[in-house]
Amino acid sequence: MTWDHDYPRRRRWLFPLLIAFIQVVGVTFASRVAATEIDVDFRPLNWLGYALLVGSAAAMWLWRVHMVAALAAVAALTGAYVAIGYPPGPFFLAFLFTLVGAVVLGHRVAAWSTAAAGWLVFVFLGWTNHALPWRGVVAGAVLVGVLLIAQVVAANRDRIIEQRRRRIGDERLRMAREVHDVVAHHISLINVQAGVALHLLDDDPEQARTALAAIKTASRDTLRELRATLGVLRAVDEQAPRSPAPSIDRLDELVARFAGAGLRVDVRVTGTPRELPTPVDLAAYRIVQESLTNVHRHAGVDSAQVSIGYDTDELVLDVTDRGRGGETADGNGLSGIRERVASLGGTVAIGPRPEGGFTVCAVLPTGGTP
C-alpha cells in the first residue's frame, strides 16, 4: 500500500521536512543540555550526525512508494545514529511515525518486528556506551505505547474504509434500482403502444398515429429520466434542460401515461398532502410506478387502484388490481420495491389478494413531518 497518492505533489515533502527540522533543532538543543547536566560522554554532533538526522526524516518519503522499504531505511539510519553515540534528543521521531504508518497501512508484523529489533539494539548499545540504564525501559514503553495507539488508528481506518465501501455499494444499488425502474416502466409502455400501432397501421392509421406519438413521448421521457438519473454520477452538459425530479406530486403525469397505454388508474388520497422528505418522495413515486408497470405487463386487466394515505409520521401506499395475480413475473421490480422500503426503514407487503388480484402495500416513515 502507498501513501497519499492524491495529495498535492509539492506538499509531500512538507511532513518529512518538518520532522527533519524538529530532529535537528531538538537534538542540537538537547546535546548542549547533555554536555552540562548529564555525566555521560556522547560524540559531538558533526556533519555525519546531522546527515543521519535529516536522512532518517527524508527516508520517510519512501513511505509513499514502499512502506517496508521506508521502515527499513528509517530504522537503519536511526540505529546508526545511536550506534555512533551521538547525543540524545528527538532523533527517533521519524522512526516512530514510520512505525505508525506501517501499522496503519497494514504492515503490522513488519512494524512490531522492527520495533522489537530496534529496542534490542538500543538497549545493547546503551549499555555498551554506558548510557543511563532506565532509558531502555522508557524506550520500550514508548514503542509499545506508540504501536498500540497505531493499532487503534488502523482499526478506525479500516472501519471507515469499510463504511465507505458499503456506502458506495449502496449507492450503486440505488442507481441500479433507478435505472431499472425508469427503463422497465417506459419500455413497457413503448412495447404496448408499438403493438397497437402495428395492429392498427392498415385499418386505422389515425389511431396508429396516436400510438406512435405516445411511443415518441415515452421514449423522450425515458431518455430524459435516464439523463437525470445518470447525471448524479457525472456533471456533464450543465446547460442541458433537466426534467423535474420524480415526485408523488407528479402522479397525474404517470397516470396519464398509463391511460395512454390502456390502463385506467383510480387514485385516492386520504389525509392532508404535504411536502415529503426527498428520499421518501422519490421512493413513493418509484414504488407506484413499478407497481403499475407490473399490473400493466402481467395482470391482464385494464384498471388499477392507487391509494395514498398521509399519516402523522408515515406515508401509506397501496396499489391494487383485480387481475390474475401474475405480477411476480417481474422479480427484479418487486425486489427493488422491497429494497427501497427497507432502505428507508419502512415495511411492505406484496402478494396475491384472497379475493383475486394482486396488491403492493408499503408504509414509509416520514419522520413526523408536520
Side-chain angles (χ1 to χ4, degrees):
M1 302 179 69
T2 56
W3 180 40
D4 69 351
H5 279 298
D6 300 325
Y7 200 65
R9 187 175 298 275
R10 63 179 177 275
R11 297 183 181 180
R12 289 174 179 168
W13 282 99
L14 287 182
F15 188 65
L17 283 176
L18 176 63
I19 296 299
F21 176 79
I22 294 174
Q23 290 190 154
V24 168
V25 173
V27 169
T28 300
F29 177 78
S31 65
R32 296 176 181 176
V33 174
T36 58
E37 298 184 6
I38 300 179
D39 188 19
V40 178
D41 292 331
F42 293 103
R43 184 184 297 273
L45 273 175
N46 52 20
W47 67 268
L48 178 58
Y50 285 114
L52 291 173
L53 292 173
V54 174
S56 63
M60 295 176 66
W61 184 83
L62 292 173
W63 189 343
R64 58 177 294 271
V65 178
H66 195 285
M67 188 68 247
V68 176
L71 185 60
V74 174
L77 292 170
T78 304
Y81 180 92
V82 175
I84 294 174
Y86 286 119
F91 62 86
F92 49 81
L93 287 183
F95 181 58
L96 292 183
F97 278 108
T98 308
L99 285 176
V100 172
V103 173
V104 170
L105 294 181
H107 301 279
R108 294 177 175 85
V109 174
W112 282 90
S113 300
T114 303
W119 181 78
L120 291 174
V121 171
F122 178 81
V123 171
F124 174 76
L125 293 175
W127 281 106
T128 57
N129 288 332
H130 307 291
L132 297 177
W134 53 264
R135 289 174 60 203
V137 177
V138 173
V142 169
L143 286 174
V144 172
V146 167
L147 289 171
L148 291 178
I149 293 174
Q151 292 283 155
V152 174
V153 174
N156 289 333
R157 178 179 181 273
D158 293 342
R159 177 178 54 82
I160 292 172
I161 291 176
E162 181 60 29
Q163 289 176 347
R164 184 179 302 171
R165 289 174 178 170
R166 189 179 298 113
R167 284 196 299 269
I168 293 174
D170 292 343
E171 182 63 17
R172 287 176 177 172
L173 180 61
R174 187 187 69 82
M175 294 299 298
R177 287 198 301 262
E178 286 292 304
V179 172
H180 171 272
D181 290 350
V182 170
V183 173
H185 165 65
H186 289 290
I187 294 301
S188 175
L189 297 183
I190 290 172
N191 179 62
V192 171
Q193 293 292 350
V196 171
L198 288 173
H199 181 70
L200 299 175
L201 188 60
D202 295 327
D203 299 335
D204 192 347
E206 191 60 33
Q207 186 64 28
R209 183 188 301 274
T210 301
L212 291 173
I215 290 175
K216 180 180 179 180
T217 300
S219 60
R220 182 192 62 206
D221 291 343
T222 302
L223 293 174
R224 184 181 301 159
E225 287 202 44
L226 281 176
R227 185 187 187 93
T229 301
L230 299 178
V232 175
L233 300 179
R234 57 178 184 177
V236 295
D237 300 334
E238 292 299 328
Q239 283 73 31
R242 295 178 181 269
S243 61
S247 166
I248 202 69
D249 294 334
R250 299 178 58 204
L251 195 58
D252 290 343
E253 301 175 22
L254 182 65
V255 169
R257 286 203 295 268
F258 278 108
L263 179 66
R264 180 174 54 84
V265 180
D266 178 25
V267 179
R268 300 176 183 177
V269 179
T270 59
T272 304
R274 61 179 184 274
E275 183 177 355
L276 299 170
T278 300
V280 175
D281 198 12
L282 174 60
Y285 180 90
R286 293 302 190 200
I287 289 170
V288 174
Q289 181 188 58
E290 181 61 31
S291 299
L292 291 177
T293 299
N294 285 339
V295 172
H296 184 242
R297 294 175 62 184
H298 305 297
V301 294
D302 60 359
S303 65
Q305 295 75 45
V306 175
S307 299
I308 303 175
Y310 290 88
D311 205 342
T312 304
D313 56 359
E314 61 187 19
L315 181 72
V316 181
L317 304 170
D318 185 86
V319 182
T320 302
D321 67 79
R322 298 183 181 276
R324 55 177 175 264
E327 287 84 337
T328 52
D330 190 356
N332 288 333
L334 297 181
S335 63
I337 291 176
R338 293 188 180 94
E339 290 167 357
R340 285 184 184 277
V341 175
S343 68
L344 295 172
T347 57
V348 63
I350 301 176
R353 304 166 63 225
E355 61 271 30
F358 201 84
T359 185
V360 175
C361 183
V363 180
L364 305 178
T366 60
T369 306

